[in-house]
Amino acid sequence: MLSLHQLRCFLATVEHGSLTAAADALGYSQPSISEQIRGLERTLGVRLFVRVGRGVVLTEAGVALQPYAEKTLAAARDTQDAMQRVRSLETGTIRFGIFGAVRWYAGAALIADVLERHPGVRVELIGTNSTEVLDQLRRGHLEAALIAVPQVTSEGLVVRPVARSELVYISADPERLRRPVTPKAIAAAPLVMPDSTFRNEDSTRMLVRRMLHEAGLNPSTRIEVEDVETAVELVGMGLADSITHRAIAEQLLPRLAPQAGFVSLRPRLFDPLAIVHRAGASLSPAAALMIELATRRIRSLTDPVDA
């Protein structure tokens, strides 16, 4: 029966031009290599080499066999690599990019989804803002990520929209929650907004700015903070209002600002969410798993969209 070892001996002999040199390269004795070649010839029913001086050259049958032997050994190596990647998925580290807003309402659930499938892995969710995550993705520090994409260019990237997250107005003042909030009301409101460091690239702020500019208004904030929890707490104290993802309002208001509520904007505003990875990249099983689970989780919490 034909074996991978026979094909390795065959290709080593082709590469080095003699049985002795092939034996040295593979770390076997010359008689062992000769026996493997004879066995391969018996299995195939053809002669593969003829002696020329101290070396050997391929016969016509040997020339025909060479590309198939190379492909077979390459496929065997790919199979071993794939199995190694699967083994590493059971006990290795899974890294996935995810921006700040989603971390608050889907991060823990996503990690739970991963550990349910693979309880032995170590999980890293990386990133605080879509801009930061995108930079790490482009640098090759991440294979894939879930980000907000109001103005992401797709150059060098595969961007697959999976959901849209509604932005809502949160306030502790019931009067401000009686009806959907208009751009004029937003422009006049005392706002606290998170992501102060990324204020110019933050997707929520970009969408709100665009809506106000289209209405001929200028956005302004009363308070700037880094994390959304602080912003929600300030809303609960009645010191400011804010605009955030509906899922964040549903998750954080009951815990941090139970006296506050939320209402839609007019017109309604949605932050598009997408799975992103580098174009042409061969995704590892870990990255493919995270893409599958993150897509399922985020679609269960927001409005799913087709790619």
Side-chain angles (χ1 to χ4, degrees), residues 148-171:
V149 288
Q151 290 186 353
V152 169
T153 60
S154 60
E155 182 179 356
L157 299 173
V158 174
V159 179
R160 181 166 62 87
V162 294
R164 60 178 193 167
S165 180
E166 184 180 9
L167 299 179
V168 296
Y169 189 91
I170 60 175
S171 175

Side-chain angles (χ1 to χ4, degrees), residues 5 15 31 37 56 76 135 162 181 188 206 228 249 265 286 301:
H5 182 50
E15 179 181 358
I37 297 301
V56 293
D135 181 63
V162 294
V181 178
M206 291 167 67
V228 71
L265 305 179
L301 297 170

Side-chain angles (χ1 to χ4, degrees), residues 13 220 291:
T13 303
S220 64
I291 288 173

Side-chain angles (χ1 to χ4, degrees), residues 53 81 86 96 128 166 184 208 258 264 272 282 286:
D81 290 344
V86 170
F96 187 72
T128 57
E166 184 180 9
K184 183 177 180 181
V208 172
S264 295
S282 178

Side-chain angles (χ1 to χ4, degrees), residues 168-191:
V168 296
Y169 189 91
I170 60 175
S171 175
D173 185 346
E175 289 298 320
R176 298 174 188 168
L177 303 177
R178 291 187 179 279
R179 61 189 63 84
V181 178
T182 64
K184 183 177 180 181
I186 294 172
L191 292 181

Side-chain angles (χ1 to χ4, degrees), residues 190-194 221-225 230-231 234-235 240-243:
L191 292 181
V192 54
M193 295 298 289
T221 56
R222 180 180 184 182
I223 305 171
E224 292 280 345
V225 296
T230 300
L234 289 168
V235 170
D241 298 342
S242 190
I243 297 172

